[in-house]
Amino acid sequence: MRDESLEDTDDLPAPEIIAREIVEDLTAAPAEFEAVAAALEQAATPDAAN
């Protein structure tokens, strides 16, 4: 699958490298969202900082 609108596609990483990077990003995402949710919950609780 190619996006014909891209220029210099010869400079792109191999598809298996792109796929591995996507998997790594998606694997890390839940922990990042958990940290954001925890920070928002703490910020929403006025007495949490005291």
Side-chain angles (χ1 to χ4, degrees):
M1 180 163 60
R2 290 196 173 266
D3 184 344
E4 299 300 329
S5 67
L6 293 175
E7 295 179 14
D8 295 328
T9 56
D10 293 336
D11 293 335
L12 292 175
E16 60 273 12
I17 294 172
I18 295 172
R20 177 54 49 202
E21 290 174 355
I22 291 170
V23 169
E24 290 170 358
D25 289 346
L26 291 175
T27 301
E32 293 175 16
F33 280 117
E34 181 60 38
V36 170
L40 290 171
E41 289 171 358
Q42 185 176 9
T45 306
D47 294 333
N50 295 331

